[in-house]
Amino acid sequence: MVATPIGNLADLSPRAREILAGADALLCEDTRTAAKLLARWEISGVPMLAHHEHNERARAPHLAERIAGGESFALISDAGTPGLSDPGFRLVRECRRRGLNVISIPGPNAAVAALSIAGLPTDAFFFAGFLPPKKAARQRFFEAHRSFPHTICLYESSHRIEKCLNDLVESLGPERTIAVAKELTKIHEQVHTGPAGDIRDRFKSLSRKGEFVVLIAPDGFVL
Ligand code: SAM
């Protein structure tokens, strides 16, 4: 499981490069995205197989059998650590069930990157990934976690960030301390921290293009 950059292609580790160049095949969430990374790092001649959310369930047992037969695969997602809000879990489970070796080549992860720079508590946190797309389900999530005692970490896409912040303010109130990290490691990286109501209003005038991590501090925490 090889972590790849979340924006800045220079963030690929030397060990990741070595593993990608030496694998029998690369399992890629998107072969076009992978091709750009491989070109940047001058890795060539390694076969690429598409491995994404639509085929992972069906292909995992077959791939695990090939690994059992001696092949060595490197799995990469479009960005960051595979298996985290990305394909990978099902194949890892198939391998573990067979007692096969799975190793991590650790590296970028948007959630951990955001936590490490936001100023919200990091001693313990809850990674909730993407919230449900429907408003009612999202609000149920916020209500259910209103008194959660640790930082909550969410992933959000550009087309839902505004709705997410609106629902958050409605459910948890405008005073709840939050952080929104945008475009981490990229040219337009920004981190906004403060009361949820202020951040929500600030986003009305900011470009919503990009990728976002939303962190919600425990009730009562003030920066
Ligand atoms: N596996 C990845 C990881 O380790 O972070 C996450 C993949 S998930 C499909 C994509 C989501 O991660 C985006 O919608 C966004 O919430 C978050 N994300 C990825 N890259 C980011 C970045 N550079 N800045 C902020 N958030 C990012």
Side-chain angles (χ1 to χ4, degrees):
M1 301 291 276
V2 181
T4 59
I6 56 170
N8 188 328
L9 291 186
D11 286 338
L12 189 80
S13 77
R15 184 161 168 246
R17 188 190 177 283
E18 210 175 285
I19 293 282
L20 295 180
D24 290 326
L26 303 180
L27 308 180
C28 311
E29 184 179 11
D30 183 330
T31 52
R32 287 161 304 182
T33 307
K36 283 184 204 151
L37 180 72
L38 299 183
R40 163 68 176 79
W41 286 101
E42 298 177 349
I43 299 168
S44 55
V46 187
M48 287 193 277
L49 306 173
H51 186 89
H52 42 67
E53 59 172 329
H54 304 294
N55 69 3
E56 180 172 38
R57 191 185 292 271
R59 287 175 55 86
H62 166 69
L63 290 169
E65 285 308 318
R66 286 180 62 177
I67 295 167
E71 285 182 87
S72 168
F73 296 141
L75 190 152
I76 57 174
S77 62
D78 283 352
T81 301
L84 290 162
S85 295
D86 264 345
F89 155 72
R90 290 194 174 83
L91 178 56
V92 172
R93 182 172 61 177
E94 288 296 335
C95 291
R96 291 281 169 214
R97 282 175 172 163
R98 289 166 172 76
L100 299 169
N101 197 23
V102 182
I103 62 165
S104 161
I105 312 299
N109 169 251
V112 170
L115 280 158
S116 71
I117 58 173
L120 272 54
T122 52
D123 49 337
F125 65 91
F126 168 31
F127 174 64
F130 288 99
L131 290 188
K134 295 237 164 71
K135 180 181 174 83
R138 234 184 354 250
Q139 285 188 322
R140 271 199 303 278
F141 174 88
F142 289 132
E143 306 289 348
H145 294 86
R146 172 187 299 282
S147 303
F148 189 72
H150 306 295
T151 298
I152 298 173
C153 176
L154 310 173
Y155 280 168
E156 205 42 272
S157 62
S158 53
H159 58 281
R160 263 202 291 269
I161 185 69
E162 201 177 357
K163 289 181 183 146
C164 172
L165 294 178
N166 282 335
D167 292 343
L168 192 159
V169 170
E170 262 181 50
S171 303
L172 303 180
E175 297 307 323
R176 177 66 69 108
T177 300
I178 68 165
V180 180
K182 175 183 176 183
E183 297 288 78
L184 292 164
T185 77
K186 303 185 196 179
I187 295 168
H188 299 293
E189 171 168 332
Q190 294 175 359
V191 181
H192 300 269
T193 52
D198 293 358
I199 307 273
R200 189 261 321 261
D201 295 345
R202 207 180 301 169
F203 264 78
K204 286 182 184 147
S205 58
L206 285 172
S207 160
R208 265 160 260 127
K209 230 174 124 239
E211 300 191 280
F212 302 87
V213 179
V214 178
L215 303 176
I216 306 168
D219 199 13
F221 175 85
V222 181
L223 257 176

